[in-house]
Amino acid sequence: MVNPSDKKGGTLKLTNHDNPDSYDPVRAYYANIWNFANIWNFMKGYYVRTLLTNQAKPGEEGLVLTADLATDLPKIEDGGKKYTFTLRNGLKFEDGTPITSKDVKYGIERVFAQDVLSGGPSYLIDVLDQGQKYPGPYKDTDPDKLGLKSVQTPDDSTIVFTLKEPLSDFPYLLAMPGAGPVPKAKDTGERYSNHPVSSGPYKFESYDEGKKAVLVRNDQWDPKTDSIRKALPDRIEVTFGTAVEEIDAQLISGDVDLDLAQTGVQQGSQAKVLLNPDVKKNADAPTTGFIRYFALNTKVAPFDNVHCRKAVQYATDKIAMQTARGGPDAGGDIATNMLPPNIAGHDPNLDPFNTKSGKPQVDKAREELAACGKPNGFDTVIATRNSGKEPKTAEALQAALKNVGINARLDPSDASLYFRSTIGAPSNTLSKGYGIMMAGWGADFPTASGFLAVLVDGRLILPSGNNNYSELNNAEVNQLIDQAKAESDPKKAAAIWGQINKIVMDEAVMVPFTYDKALNVRNPRLTNVFVSQYYGMVDFGSLGVS
């Protein structure tokens, strides 16, 4: 931890190039430009509390779940199918109304309203619906809008979850912001993002979409009920829409405290950081736990042919893409498979296309092109965001593919909608002919299930907010996912996920190119700075300003 301090006061100044997709805890996933973790970390540090949360500590201790709204870890019965929680006393929303078990249940029910609140993770639907086909609270016929049968609230302080079958990762699902409480009387549906009701130490004073968000202290939050959050600043300001180069300049000059994106400074700014001792001493380049990869769309020809997909695997110049992201010191290590090194089940030797060197294999690529009936190459489209390091990364891919006759046109688009509707809607990817889609991913929760399942489970392909961009639907993969989720022994579960990873790589539907690092600059006035291993980035909720 850098600059440990319990000093309160001051204004924390954060900045961000792109707009968040949503401040609604159910809808946020990609959000503040890099990935879900930025906004989840932001939410859970400031205005969303959940039954459980990760410990706010550096290193492996930050991976451990602890009680938050609950008094303790759950009472688990019926062979791992029944979880009972008791809520703390003295919990209140920002308007002073008590937080009850019914508010937690209602918040979870909102996840089911995918027709209104699409875009967020849907794990809880798969675990808790159990054939009820629960439509969410907006279509709930129950007079109290609490009709989800698998979650019961026998009194205001007790909530009971009944699972269809044991799921060892279930507690992690309850630590996601979408499992936070929402007061039914204040729920404005798709407009809830404009002013989510706080259960944490801060509340929204204002939100000017696309420009600025301001959070101030929530005077109804009782620190006696919360051992996790330090709540040091008096005020938190987040500015949106700043050009990435200007963000770098503001960080280096100390005009802002931190880039909320945590994706690292641009390549042109790296020398200004690394060659200036006064700046470098306030810079960090942690391995984040994220993979940078691109997906190959199995529904867009010719990527419905595995040999055409393998041709791209061999043609890719991973060194050029790594360089576009900042090189090995600031951009990440060459990736060879779809489980990052910090997740159990990762196999450093799994490299079916021999890409550890990062160099393209032109002859192999041409052999695969011949095998798929496209010896002279083909045309395709690369979907990419128009921000940060991604355009240059996509250009590096485009140049490498051209060397083997694959002509890829770049189609950059706005980052705030990219994962929800640009590449997250299969109908759009098909109509636009997106054969290749740039992406980045980190674990929803720190297990292989939390990382890989949503990317490769064929039963989770959604019409909107889809994350299985390749639309892989492999029966063996689906079956192994079920086995891994039910396995209570972490080592055995990790071994099954290793098998899944191997099959996915053999299918050649995703091309990992870096295990991500990010060179971030922080204002020297920041206190309590550490990287949360749970999210792989600075723990926002612990920050203070001196």
Side-chain angles (χ1 to χ4, degrees):
M1 181 181 291
V2 177
N3 298 332
S5 173
D6 289 330
K7 180 185 176 183
K8 293 190 174 185
T11 298
L12 176 65
K13 297 180 179 180
L14 305 174
T15 188
N16 208 3
H17 171 65
D18 294 308
N19 301 324
D21 62 350
S22 181
Y23 279 125
D24 187 327
V26 164
R27 303 196 75 179
Y29 212 170
Y30 171 63
N32 283 19
I33 63 182
W34 190 16
N35 52 71
F36 62 89
N38 302 308
I39 192 64
W40 285 15
N41 192 2
F42 182 86
M43 284 180 178
K44 293 191 66 178
Y46 298 134
Y47 68 93
V48 177
R49 296 182 65 181
T50 46
L51 292 169
L52 303 173
T53 193
N54 57 294
Q55 294 188 141
K57 295 181 179 180
E60 291 187 1
E61 286 185 287
L63 297 175
V64 177
L65 290 178
T66 189
D68 186 1
L69 292 176
T71 57
D72 206 339
L73 297 177
K75 179 181 179 182
I76 304 175
E77 302 171 286
D78 193 18
K81 293 190 289 186
K82 183 179 179 181
Y83 287 72
T84 302
F85 293 87
T86 301
L87 270 62
R88 298 178 188 270
N89 294 322
L91 301 170
K92 294 180 181 179
F93 288 113
E94 65 179 71
D95 61 359
T97 58
I99 297 173
T100 72
S101 58
K102 294 178 175 60
D103 297 311
V104 176
K105 178 177 180 178
Y106 183 83
I108 289 171
E109 287 181 337
R110 295 177 79 247
V111 177
F112 288 72
Q114 290 292 303
D115 56 331
V116 179
L117 305 175
S118 65
S122 57
Y123 296 103
L124 287 169
I125 298 176
D126 305 316
V127 174
L128 297 175
D129 189 67
Q130 302 171 19
Q132 183 184 348
K133 299 186 186 301
Y134 181 69
Y138 310 124
K139 295 180 179 178
D140 193 338
T141 58
D142 181 89
D144 296 320
K145 305 298 182 184
L146 295 170
L148 180 59
K149 295 177 181 178
S150 56
V151 183
Q152 296 297 316
T153 54
D155 56 58
D156 283 350
S157 63
T158 305
I159 185 166
V160 183
F161 299 88
T162 302
L163 312 186
K164 181 179 180 180
E165 54 196 11
L167 178 62
S168 57
D169 285 336
F170 182 64
Y172 290 107
L173 305 187
L174 299 179
M176 292 181 174
V182 173
K184 181 178 63 175
K186 296 293 180 69
D187 183 13
T188 53
E190 62 183 357
R191 298 188 305 278
Y192 188 69
S193 177
N194 296 333
H195 191 123
V197 180
S198 176
S199 53
Y202 296 91
K203 63 182 179 181
F204 281 88
E205 178 183 77
S206 62
Y207 176 40
D208 188 355
E209 187 173 359
K211 295 181 181 179
K212 193 172 186 177
V214 177
L215 283 77
V216 295
R217 290 193 181 279
N218 172 14
D219 60 6
Q220 298 299 314
W221 171 77
D222 185 351
K224 294 178 182 178
T225 71
D226 192 340
S227 62
I228 306 298
R229 298 160 188 84
K230 288 185 175 292
L232 297 180
D234 288 333
R235 183 180 178 92
I236 300 158
E237 297 180 354
V238 189
T239 303
F240 305 108
T242 309
V244 289
E245 295 80 7
E246 178 59 23
I247 289 176
D248 291 353
Q250 291 177 355
L251 289 167
I252 292 171
S253 67
D255 291 336
V256 297
D257 293 317
L258 207 63
D259 180 5
L260 185 57
Q262 291 289 282
T263 52
V265 299
Q266 302 304 300
Q267 190 173 8
S269 299
Q270 288 172 7
K272 298 177 184 177
V273 176
L274 297 174
L275 300 180
N276 185 332
D278 290 334
V279 178
K280 185 179 179 181
K281 68 183 180 182
N282 295 304
D284 311 290
T287 299
T288 65
F290 289 79
I291 288 182
R292 292 290 165 182
Y293 74 101
F294 57 88
L296 303 177
N297 194 336
T298 60
K299 303 301 181 183
V300 172
F303 293 123
D304 51 350
N305 186 308
V306 67
H307 293 288
C308 283
R309 301 197 297 268
K310 288 182 177 180
V312 172
Q313 295 272 359
Y314 286 119
T316 298
D317 187 339
K318 293 187 178 182
I319 290 179
M321 299 181 78
Q322 178 193 51
T323 300
R325 298 201 60 80
D329 293 330
D333 300 323
I334 296 297
T336 60
N337 63 73
M338 283 301 297
L339 276 180
N342 66 330
I343 296 292
H346 168 76
D347 179 359
N349 298 315
L350 179 58
D351 184 12
F353 304 104
N354 194 29
T355 61
K356 191 170 186 177
S357 72
K359 298 177 181 178
Q361 301 165 76
V362 173
D363 291 343
K364 285 277 192 181
R366 287 180 174 151
E367 288 177 12
E368 295 295 340
L369 285 172
C372 78
K374 301 286 184 180
N376 298 318
F378 52 84
D379 295 340
T380 191
V381 182
I382 299 176
T384 179
R385 288 163 286 182
N386 60 4
S387 64
K389 303 172 185 177
E390 194 149 298
K392 291 187 180 299
T393 309
E395 289 169 7
L397 174 61
Q398 181 186 43
L401 296 181
K402 191 171 183 61
N403 288 333
V404 299
I406 299 174
N407 299 306
R409 175 175 61 84
L410 300 185
D411 188 8
S413 60
D414 180 72
S416 64
L417 298 175
Y418 183 74
F419 284 110
R420 177 179 296 165
S421 56
T422 303
I423 68 170
S427 60
N428 188 63
T429 64
L430 183 60
S431 66
K432 294 288 184 65
Y434 290 154
I436 300 174
M437 294 161 282
M438 301 294 294
W441 196 254
D444 285 357
F445 42 91
T447 68
S449 174
F451 185 91
L452 197 54
V454 72
L455 300 183
V456 301
D457 192 329
R459 298 157 296 186
L460 300 181
I461 299 171
L462 303 174
S464 176
N466 174 52
N467 295 287
N468 184 342
Y469 309 121
S470 299
E471 297 187 60
L472 175 68
N473 193 3
N474 180 299
E476 185 179 5
V477 166
N478 297 345
Q479 182 181 24
L480 286 170
I481 287 174
D482 291 340
Q483 290 181 24
K485 287 182 175 180
E487 178 55 65
S488 59
D489 185 325
K491 289 185 179 180
K492 292 180 180 179
I496 299 172
W497 282 108
Q499 296 177 50
I500 295 168
N501 189 22
K502 184 179 186 306
I503 297 170
V504 168
M505 290 305 301
D506 288 342
E507 287 273 19
V509 293
M510 288 179 276
V511 184
F513 55 88
T514 55
Y515 298 126
D516 213 53
K517 290 181 182 178
L519 178 64
N520 290 302
V521 178
R522 49 183 158 78
N523 195 311
R525 76 183 191 129
L526 287 177
T527 63
N528 290 301
V529 186
F530 66 88
V531 172
S532 167
Q533 196 163 324
Y534 193 97
Y535 295 109
M537 61 189 62
V538 167
D539 186 85
F540 293 119
S542 296
L543 294 174
V545 291
S546 62

